[in-house]
Amino acid sequence: MTERFIKHATFVVERTYAASPTRVYNAWTDPSAKAKWFSKPDVFEFRVGGREYSKGGPPEGPVFTFDACYQEIIPDQRIVYTYTLDSNETRISVSITTVELIPTEGGTKLVFTEQGAFFDGLDTPEVREHGTNAMLDALGKTL
């Protein structure tokens, strides 16, 4: 029998972009803009209680399913969502994510905080944080 376990972790990733909070916010709220740096959503209901759902992955690898629910939205300031991540048919994590947009001189400071439960070593906070860094770098290239 395989031993089951959960690893709980929180990580914070910060970026400063030479773009207004409105422009950074719009990169999260417009599905075509978000598809340029995250993934093309199959479902995109950007509102409190709304769902974002996407499924995909590399041709040779597993199929990942991202299934999110928006918990709080303050335009140009804050987005909070909860989500599950599955690999093929196996749940590998559940998280709550907060995206804060803070105006700075000449741009926006983005603070991304994720609190997660990572299951059975199938996903780890270190891998997720690495992926988040790459994701936020890709966001910066689209702004």
Side-chain angles (χ1 to χ4, degrees):
M1 176 185 271
T2 303
E3 182 180 345
R4 308 294 302 247
F5 64 95
I6 299 174
K7 183 172 185 179
H8 296 275
T10 298
F11 64 85
V12 178
V13 178
E14 297 182 3
R15 291 288 186 280
T16 300
Y17 301 116
S20 69
T22 298
R23 192 164 165 210
V24 177
Y25 178 79
N26 288 340
W28 287 82
T29 65
D30 178 85
S32 59
K34 193 167 186 183
K36 293 176 183 174
W37 60 271
F38 185 65
S39 66
K40 183 179 183 307
D42 299 307
V43 175
F44 193 81
E45 304 163 334
F46 192 80
R47 60 177 170 72
V48 172
R51 183 177 185 212
E52 181 176 348
Y53 177 90
S54 61
K55 196 170 196 169
E60 70 287 346
V63 174
F64 290 101
T65 303
F66 172 85
D67 195 356
C69 180
Y70 290 99
Q71 304 296 330
E72 182 175 61
I73 297 170
I74 308 294
D76 302 340
Q77 295 178 40
R78 180 171 59 224
I79 303 166
V80 179
Y81 58 95
T82 53
Y83 75 96
T84 59
L85 188 63
D86 297 348
S87 175
N88 294 325
E89 302 301 318
T90 303
R91 173 93 5 111
I92 62 174
S93 67
V94 176
S95 296
I96 179 170
T97 300
T98 303
V99 178
E100 299 171 86
L101 305 175
I102 303 161
T104 62
E105 190 174 317
T108 302
K109 178 179 179 181
L110 182 147
V111 180
F112 182 104
T113 304
E114 182 159 339
Q115 299 165 288
F118 301 87
F119 304 137
D120 303 320
L122 300 170
D123 193 4
T124 67
E126 297 79 15
V127 168
R128 184 68 54 82
E129 185 173 354
H130 176 78
T132 298
N133 274 290
M135 176 185 78
L136 295 179
D137 289 345
L139 169 60
K141 291 176 184 172
T142 69
L143 292 172

